[in-house]
Amino acid sequence: MTDLAQDRLRLAVAAVMAAAALLWWATAGFFGHELIAQVAIFAIFAMSLDLLVGTAGMVSLGHAAFFGAGAYATAGLTVLLGWPAWLALPASMVVAGLLAVVVGAFAVRLAGVFFIMITLAIGEMVHAYLFRSRTFGGDDGLGGIPRPDLGALGLTLDDPSHFSLAVLTLALLVYLGLRQVVGSPFGQVLAGIHRNEARMRALGCPVRHYKLAAFTLAGAIAGLAGSLAAQHNNFISPELVTWTTSGEALIVVIVGGMGTLVGPVAGAAAVILAGHYLSGLTEYWMFFMGLMFVAVVLIAGDGLQGALERLARRFGRAAG
Amino acid sequence: MRILFGLALALIAGLPAPAGAGDPIRIGVVLPFSGVYAALGGDITDGMMLAFETFGDTVAGRRIELIREDSEVKPSVGLTKTKKLVYQDQVDLLVGPVASNVAGAMRDFVHNAEIPLIVPNAGNNLLTGERCSPWVIRTSFSNDQINRGMGGWLFDKGYRSLYLLAADYAAGHQMMAAVKRSFTAAGGAIVGEEYPPLRETKDFAPYLAKIKAAKPDAMYVFFAGGPAIQFVKQVHDFGLKKEIALTGAGWLTSPLFLPAEGAAAVGFTGALNYVPSIDSDENRQFQNAFQEKHGRVGSEFTVQGYDTARLIVEALEITGGATDDKAALVAAMHQVSFTGPRGPLRIDPATNNVIQDIYVFETRQVGYAVKQVVIDKMEAVQDPPNGCRMEVGRG
């Protein structure tokens, strides 16, 4: 399969998923809309991590720190400082992005397992700080976070159906935006660094600057997801920043298919929906979830989207 | 998870039919059935089940049905399960959770959805203080309520200096603040305070050495779970209790942890809203019934579940089984008052926190067993409003 065909397939998968999400949205009840919002937020978070892991080859176990930074910034700006929520949303992305610049300045100097360790350590530092922070309610968390007032657009975001539609739209925009980034010269350089960092450096590419830029962009988008999560739950707590949140996103990226963007979205939907329905069936749902992950990784080492593309390739050869 | 406890008929998810006579009364239960607080979730559920057996599981022809969901002690999971119970299962009221962070996440949603939530544990002061809601009723305690009286009590017993030691999380700080305020108001001095990291501290020796050097009359501590067991054993091995009295919030030697602590727990003076050795007919009946059914001592958590279910049954009897008018249901809960295993009990309409007796007990060796022996009682302890203003609507 050519790159062009692969790209078309991904776009087609994205279109199918967007259509399925809209169809579900149109038919869902209150709780369905809650689930849609949850899936869309997690999908944004997973896509931001995919930019790091899949495109740039930087495996981070501390990505939840930026998710949390976005959530806590939204809570701090709205609840503690009284900012309007529509302003807090972009401001939270800036805060998360700035944190990513600072963290990234250290982290991008390292590669491989050392990069994993430093991101994990910094994620835990952020968690430890928030767990003890009196300002943000410590482990008890902070409530009363408002959603933006979009009455001017005829939207009532306190209504789950409007909120889920807004979040869904944002997820689609993030997908289209990241698709552009990955396809741009900047994205191509990141992919090159992923494939062979030494050669890129030998070609005179300022590798660290590119990595830092990717890290910052991923952090800012994770901050967007965090801000939306804070608005969705009207509540924040250090739970958002635990390393298991990072780990879960990493699993979603791997299971969905690294570097494909649509794969992690499908993975996010699968994990949240399977988690919801399995936990209704059995107390040991995590066991079955684990089995599913093992099965996917064993059968399709390149994730769900990777398996689909291989299938399309074989089908294409047979047809052609 | 949908487990119906033999109380109820099978439930088909998402029945939108309006509630009427003969329809079951659906109670959504959000408790931890996995994770660090699974034992507490189990105790509360067992207590509720016993109460429904004792006080009836049918009110005005409507059977009470529980729909149980696991909060996993995660705020976001607890909130999602709460939304599922309200939107999909259309429950009439909610019970839960154990942890204050999960309660914080559920609070805004139930407040805006105007669904009564009966809290059978989470002690965060704010939940019936600044962040109180007409729809959030607490049958357990506030962190302040348990500890506030102990400052004065210890001073009256002749203690003049205290050293505070608690796990470093919101509950630990709230409890220490309560005792600090009342002890200094009485004229005592706090000579030091330390907050070891929650669940990470295995070795308390550095803290115990500091306390020994500070020579207070007593130390006042709060730990629960694994750290409580480790702390009690290490204080005992250190021999510190001979010089400095060990006092604190009563969970340190809860019946859940006593079997592991054993004789090391002897000599602790604590305050709590319930201990199994309370000398009353209501408590004896409760303990006999519970021990016969489950073969273990009913803990304070069991009693909180038991009283929660009883409050619900009695309130439903006042409304004649009607659940559609939620304000009337909450008003009925304000009218209910009864004497349960822990003594007289009612809900304070000003804060929606429970008004109850607080017991001062000492852990003593009684025969071969280590028991919490009641030595004093503070009657009808009621929280001040603490910034609570009941507002209907968004808040």
Side-chain angles (χ1 to χ4, degrees), chain B residues 156-243:
Chain B
D156 290 344
K157 293 292 171 212
Y159 297 106
R160 290 294 174 268
S161 56
L162 268 190
Y163 201 105
L164 308 180
L165 187 68
D168 189 8
Y169 68 125
H173 285 274
Q174 287 186 352
M175 299 206 198
M176 293 304 118
V179 79
K180 192 178 187 174
R181 233 174 5 249
S182 60
F183 192 67
T184 47
I190 305 291
V191 294
E193 50 190 312
E194 290 282 346
Y195 297 92
L198 178 70
R199 285 197 270 278
E200 286 161 28
T201 312
K202 302 271 179 287
D203 179 10
F204 291 95
Y207 301 102
L208 298 179
K210 265 191 191 169
I211 295 173
K212 192 179 161 86
K215 292 192 174 60
D217 293 340
M219 52 186 141
Y220 193 88
V221 307
F222 166 65
F223 293 103
I229 297 167
Q230 283 153 358
F231 178 77
V232 161
K233 288 188 165 171
Q234 288 178 24
V235 171
H236 186 72
D237 294 344
F238 215 77
L240 204 59
K241 277 184 286 186
K242 292 186 198 86
E243 305 159 39

Side-chain angles (χ1 to χ4, degrees), chain A residues 115-129:
Chain A
F115 181 80
I116 297 180
M117 290 317 290
I118 197 168
T119 49
L120 176 64
I122 288 167
E124 286 298 277
M125 277 165 58
V126 173
H127 178 259
Y129 166 71

Side-chain angles (χ1 to χ4, degrees), chain A residues 124-150:
Chain A
E124 286 298 277
M125 277 165 58
V126 173
H127 178 259
Y129 166 71
L130 295 174
F131 195 90
R132 286 171 177 75
S133 161
R134 299 276 139 247
T135 323
F136 293 109
D139 60 305
D140 275 349
L142 196 66
I145 297 154
R147 293 176 182 174
D149 181 7
L150 294 185

Side-chain angles (χ1 to χ4, degrees), chain B residues 2 11-17 87-90:
Chain B
R2 207 172 293 132
L11 174 100
I12 296 134
L15 282 178
Y87 288 144
Q88 192 170 307
D89 300 330
Q90 315 237 331

Side-chain angles (χ1 to χ4, degrees), chain B residues 36-323:
Chain B
V36 288
Y37 292 139
L40 277 63
D43 266 16
I44 290 170
T45 314
D46 290 343
M48 287 180 70
M49 298 315 300
L50 181 63
F52 287 127
E53 279 171 31
T54 312
F55 304 104
D57 59 4
T58 307
V59 179
R62 297 183 70 189
R63 208 194 311 236
I64 294 172
E65 202 174 84
L66 299 192
I67 305 174
R68 210 167 67 146
E69 292 286 352
D70 184 2
S71 74
E72 301 171 28
V73 210
K74 291 179 185 160
S76 56
V77 173
L79 178 63
T80 305
K81 299 290 176 75
T82 306
K83 288 177 175 173
K84 182 237 166 205
L85 287 168
V86 171
Y87 288 144
Q88 192 170 307
D89 300 330
Q90 315 237 331
V91 295
D92 297 301
L93 70 161
L94 290 155
V95 171
V98 161
S100 283
N101 54 359
V102 182
M106 290 164 68
R107 185 263 173 210
D108 282 359
F109 175 71
V110 299
H111 181 79
N112 292 327
E114 308 195 345
I115 300 283
L117 168 70
I118 326 287
V119 181
N121 194 64
N124 185 356
N125 293 336
L126 299 178
L127 212 54
T128 53
E130 273 173 55
R131 304 271 302 144
C132 72
S133 160
W135 309 103
V136 179
I137 291 125
R138 180 157 57 191
T139 54
S140 49
F141 58 86
S142 72
N143 292 331
D144 218 56
Q145 192 178 30
I146 299 287
N147 297 282
R148 194 183 332 113
M150 280 306 274
W153 190 89
L154 289 168
F155 191 84
D156 290 344
K157 293 292 171 212
Y159 297 106
R160 290 294 174 268
S161 56
L162 268 190
Y163 201 105
L164 308 180
L165 187 68
D168 189 8
Y169 68 125
H173 285 274
Q174 287 186 352
M175 299 206 198
M176 293 304 118
V179 79
K180 192 178 187 174
R181 233 174 5 249
S182 60
F183 192 67
T184 47
I190 305 291
V191 294
E193 50 190 312
E194 290 282 346
Y195 297 92
L198 178 70
R199 285 197 270 278
E200 286 161 28
T201 312
K202 302 271 179 287
D203 179 10
F204 291 95
Y207 301 102
L208 298 179
K210 265 191 191 169
I211 295 173
K212 192 179 161 86
K215 292 192 174 60
D217 293 340
M219 52 186 141
Y220 193 88
V221 307
F222 166 65
F223 293 103
I229 297 167
Q230 283 153 358
F231 178 77
V232 161
K233 288 188 165 171
Q234 288 178 24
V235 171
H236 186 72
D237 294 344
F238 215 77
L240 204 59
K241 277 184 286 186
K242 292 186 198 86
E243 305 159 39
I244 299 162
L246 176 59
T247 68
W251 293 283
L252 191 71
T253 61
S254 163
L256 282 182
F257 320 135
L258 259 185
E261 292 166 352
V266 171
F268 168 68
T269 306
L272 206 55
N273 56 346
Y274 175 78
V275 290
S277 61
I278 290 170
D279 187 22
S280 72
D281 288 340
E282 289 85 359
N283 185 41
R284 269 187 296 274
Q285 276 164 16
F286 161 77
Q287 282 293 348
N288 286 342
F290 187 79
Q291 288 176 24
E292 194 179 309
K293 198 174 164 199
H294 294 283
R296 65 174 197 270
V297 176
S299 68
E300 59 275 16
F301 306 108
T302 319
V303 171
Q304 285 163 191
Y306 183 81
D307 288 339
T308 297
R310 183 170 177 185
L311 172 74
I312 292 171
V313 171
E314 297 204 0
L316 285 170
E317 275 164 3
I318 292 175
T319 66
T323 49

Side-chain angles (χ1 to χ4, degrees), chain A residues 156-239:
Chain A
T156 320
L157 289 187
D158 286 327
D159 179 338
S161 72
H162 288 189
F163 185 74
S164 58
L165 190 62
V167 176
L168 212 51
T169 311
L170 278 175
L172 195 61
L173 289 176
V174 166
Y175 169 72
L176 293 173
L178 281 179
R179 214 180 98 83
Q180 286 301 318
V181 169
V182 171
S184 70
F186 170 71
Q188 294 305 308
V189 171
L190 290 182
I193 294 171
H194 187 183
R195 292 267 171 82
N196 194 335
E197 186 172 338
R199 177 178 286 179
M200 290 305 284
R201 195 173 288 125
L203 285 172
C205 165
V207 167
R208 270 185 205 158
H209 292 171
Y210 274 91
K211 280 179 145 183
L212 183 59
F215 198 78
T216 306
L217 180 61
I221 295 171
L224 168 69
S227 176
L228 291 172
Q231 294 174 20
H232 180 223
N233 290 338
N234 306 117
F235 179 80
I236 45 137
S237 80
E239 178 216 2

